[in-house]
Amino acid sequence: MKPVRMYSTRSCPFCIMAKRLLQQKGVVFEDIAVDNAPDVRHRMAQESGARTVPQIFIGEKHVGGCNELYALESSGQLDALLER
């Protein structure tokens, strides 16, 4: 399985939903907290081109946020992306 990284905050409901989906699928992921960490949030923005959380990467591919993750799941593409 490809490594998964997620930039998130503790209180973001979309972050919580994205983490829940990944956990239900048995995905071990690196959770990078951007709470009170402007340097980490800046790095996230540089890597993803976005300033909102969550920002999710599967391998080196930026998949976007929670909505994009759920769209991949709904279309049946998430499992394949995790395995490639």
Side-chain angles (χ1 to χ4, degrees):
M1 192 171 282
K2 285 185 178 176
V4 177
R5 291 182 293 136
M6 180 187 313
Y7 289 94
S8 68
T9 63
R10 288 184 295 265
S11 61
C12 165
F14 292 102
C15 297
I16 293 166
M17 288 172 48
K19 290 175 191 179
R20 186 179 306 131
L21 175 59
L22 292 172
Q23 290 166 343
Q24 288 172 347
K25 295 187 82 51
V27 175
V28 176
F29 59 93
E30 178 183 9
D31 186 13
I32 305 167
V34 300
D35 306 271
N36 303 314
D39 56 327
V40 178
R41 189 177 283 268
H42 178 75
R43 184 177 76 221
M44 175 196 76
Q46 292 291 327
E47 290 180 18
S48 68
R51 301 180 75 195
T52 59
V53 290
Q55 292 302 318
I56 304 161
F57 293 81
I58 299 176
E60 295 303 313
K61 179 178 176 55
H62 176 241
V63 298
C66 182
N67 291 338
E68 292 82 6
L69 184 68
Y70 272 84
L72 287 169
E73 174 68 2
S74 294
S75 68
Q77 297 175 38
L78 183 56
D79 289 338
L81 185 59
L82 288 166
E83 293 300 324
R84 283 189 213 159

